[in-house]
Amino acid sequence: MPETPERLDAVVVGAGFAGLYMLLRLRELGMSAVVFEAGDGVGGTWYWNRYPGARCDAESMGYSYSFSPDLEQEWDWTERYATQPEILRYADYVAQRFDLKRDIRFETRVVEAHYREADNVWSVATDRGDEVEARFCIMATGCLSVPQRPDIPGLGDFEGPTYVTGEWPHEGVDFTGLRVGLIGTGSSAIQAVPVIAAEAEHLTVFQRTANFSVPAKNGPLDPDWVREFKENYRDYRRDSRHGLVSDFGALVLPDSERKRATGSFLSASEAERDARYEEFWEVGGARFMGAFEDTLLDPEANESAAEFVRNKIREIVEDPETAEHLCPTSHPIGTKRICVDTGYYETFNRPNVTLVDIAGTPIDTVTAKGLRVRNVEYEFDVLVLATGFDAMTGALLGMDIRGVSGERLADHWQAGPRSYLGLCVNGFPNLLTITGPGSPSVLSNMMVSIEQHVDWVTECLRHMADHGLTRLEAKRQAEDDWVDHVNEVANATLFPQGGSWYLGANIPGKPRVFMPYAGGVGPYREICNGVTARDYEGFSIT
Ligand code: NA7
């Protein structure tokens, strides 16, 4: 460890899309900054999640940076939903194009960040012995970046290889001729299952909770359509920043259709309802959730959308018993993140795929040859864990972060994350969390939310520099009020009924708090802009 720590204006943790853009903006401010990144390349979650079939569930033309009109014109996406390798190529292209890599320290994980009150600096230490002091510590650690290994007895006893979707080997896995056991039926599994099934000798899927999935209707992008879209890219970006297009897109629709107010389920006739669901199902993608504006607000509207999807599952899956097991009944549709698939339900018609419903019966144990549940042994050669993430707080709480008087973030967040605007935490001055808990983040197009937070932080830092200010802290009252507001908004929806990772419900012992802000990116942006306009209301800046 060097005797004199390196002094910088800012440290950024993570070189995913948030960290890359933050670095660029810090440079524009003339600030010295480094980014620490655990991987040996950029891309964050897209660097790690290399499982078969991995692709974005938001459409590629929207899931991309908007800050540079040149960049958006010169980059060409090939499919409606980009694959993980294509997104990774894009992240790498951006890093090269804006010469970002020279300030990124790869294969370096931040383990500790302590605020030193006397000097108003953050002292940041890494697993490679770096020690850096910086005025600002900016967490760009992602919302789904800490994979969750389930606490199943005997997991270490399995003799074959075990692969975790979120830590997939870079060289890939060849499943040819192998019997595969896969645990989990969230988004990752729903993308991986059709691809693994097509390769493996046999695939057994262990399902604890049936999930709702809608067809992606993926395909190559038509160059003429892309050209036209690019002519109006700026308008689209403006609308998406203000929440005027669905966060999940459905960009293949003409502009007027994309923006169309969807209307209330309760005021639609039976025939209109069915026609609307059918239309959205055919268009494909998560925008199905926007068929009616009250799907996530009204139980009757929700149940009607849920039953429509269940009936689709019953149509697609040939074996009626398997179809019923695949029909979700434990949560309102959309309260666990809606999945977007290519041939998921159809895969269960294959002779080499078996669904094992383990709802209500935890896996007894993993064994040397497979696993046992309800005293039945299942044998396979390879085990795949598609068991999700310690979402939103996992990466932050995985570091030893200490604020004023040595208070640990883990203690401040003992009963769940607390933050003002999802950006700043009381008692942790100059610590900023990009798309932190309490902001729209995972309920939005992440790229839109990342850019909004980075831009807000940039303006705030510029304001501080212009006025000779060096210390930014969220006030306790502002934090309390924001936490109340986040809860109030969530409680007006059906989201809290979902038992999802949004609530921390997938991690044993994690406090049950609805973490993202469900108020939408448009209103949220207005709130943040209002805070700025009112001279950083709710912050103490000195
Ligand atoms: P998810 O959506 O959290 O899915 C994880 C799945 O793993 C889910 O079906 C879980 O069942 C299942 N799971 C977790 N632990 C166990 C144990 N112990 N036994 C059986 N089954 C288990 O994660 P994904 O990676 O698929 O997707 C995360 C997000 O990434 C996704 O929403 C997109 O935004 C991208 P459960 O539902 O908890 O009963």
Side-chain angles (χ1 to χ4, degrees), residues 144 150 152 183-188 208-209 336-337 358 386-389 501:
L144 295 160
I152 302 174
I183 302 174
T185 47
S187 272
S188 302
R208 183 165 73 180
T209 307
K336 277 179 189 270
R337 188 174 165 110
I358 56 169
T387 44
F389 298 87
W501 55 259

Side-chain angles (χ1 to χ4, degrees), residues 45-46 49 51 55 57 144 148-152 165-166 183-191 206-211 248 330-331 336-339 358-359 361-363 385-389 391 442 498-502 505-508:
T45 202
W46 299 107
N49 281 272
Y51 60 85
R55 62 172 79 238
D57 59 7
L144 295 160
Q148 162 74 353
R149 274 176 186 261
D151 190 14
I152 302 174
T165 47
I183 302 174
T185 47
S187 272
S188 302
I190 281 174
Q191 291 185 335
F206 297 91
Q207 171 188 275
R208 183 165 73 180
T209 307
N211 236 320
F248 291 109
S330 67
H331 58 282
K336 277 179 189 270
R337 188 174 165 110
I338 188 92
C339 300
I358 56 169
T361 320
I363 293 166
L385 299 176
T387 44
F389 298 87
V442 292
S500 65
W501 55 259
Y502 297 140
N506 63 327
I507 306 289

Side-chain angles (χ1 to χ4, degrees), residues 223-425:
D224 290 336
W225 178 84
V226 170
R227 199 174 330 101
E228 210 177 302
F229 194 93
K230 282 187 171 183
E231 280 169 18
N232 301 305
Y233 227 149
R234 292 286 91 194
D235 293 346
Y236 165 75
R237 300 295 198 184
R238 186 199 55 230
D239 288 349
S240 56
R241 282 184 200 124
H242 294 281
L244 297 178
V245 290
S246 153
D247 286 339
F248 291 109
L251 309 187
V252 294
L253 294 175
D255 200 45
S256 55
E257 289 284 295
R258 280 203 304 272
K259 282 193 260 186
R260 188 182 55 189
T262 48
S264 140
F265 166 86
L266 295 175
S267 58
S269 71
E270 196 74 30
E272 282 166 348
R273 291 168 182 176
D274 285 350
R276 177 67 63 88
Y277 290 137
E278 202 61 59
E279 182 195 338
F280 276 67
W281 182 269
E282 280 313 310
V283 168
R287 192 169 187 256
F288 180 81
M289 288 309 300
F292 291 103
E293 63 200 17
D294 39 8
T295 309
L296 277 162
L297 300 174
D298 181 84
E300 191 191 337
N302 189 283
E303 177 51 25
S304 154
E307 190 57 15
F308 176 86
V309 175
R310 290 187 206 112
N311 284 333
K312 287 289 181 191
I313 297 171
R314 292 174 186 125
E315 271 171 33
I316 298 168
V317 179
E318 288 156 11
D319 173 45
E321 208 181 317
T322 305
E324 278 320 303
H325 285 300
L326 286 166
C327 284
T329 51
S330 67
H331 58 282
I333 186 169
T335 58
K336 277 179 189 270
R337 188 174 165 110
I338 188 92
C339 300
V340 177
D341 72 275
T342 300
Y344 176 66
Y345 295 119
E346 290 83 346
T347 301
F348 292 92
N349 294 331
R350 294 177 66 106
N352 70 331
V353 176
T354 311
L355 178 73
V356 180
D357 190 341
I358 56 169
T361 320
I363 293 166
D364 298 333
T365 183
V366 172
T367 64
K369 302 271 178 237
L371 64 75
R372 192 168 64 238
V373 61
R374 291 192 201 104
N375 285 323
V376 181
E377 305 268 352
Y378 297 89
E379 290 199 356
F380 35 82
D381 308 304
V382 180
L383 175 60
V384 175
L385 299 176
T387 44
F389 298 87
D390 186 354
M392 306 205 69
T393 55
L396 292 165
L397 296 180
M399 292 172 274
D400 177 13
I401 300 178
R402 298 188 195 198
V404 174
S405 310
E407 186 191 14
R408 294 168 65 234
L409 186 66
D411 290 334
H412 193 78
W413 284 7
Q414 201 173 20
R418 305 186 63 76
S419 159
Y420 181 38
L421 301 172
L423 272 164
C424 257
V425 182

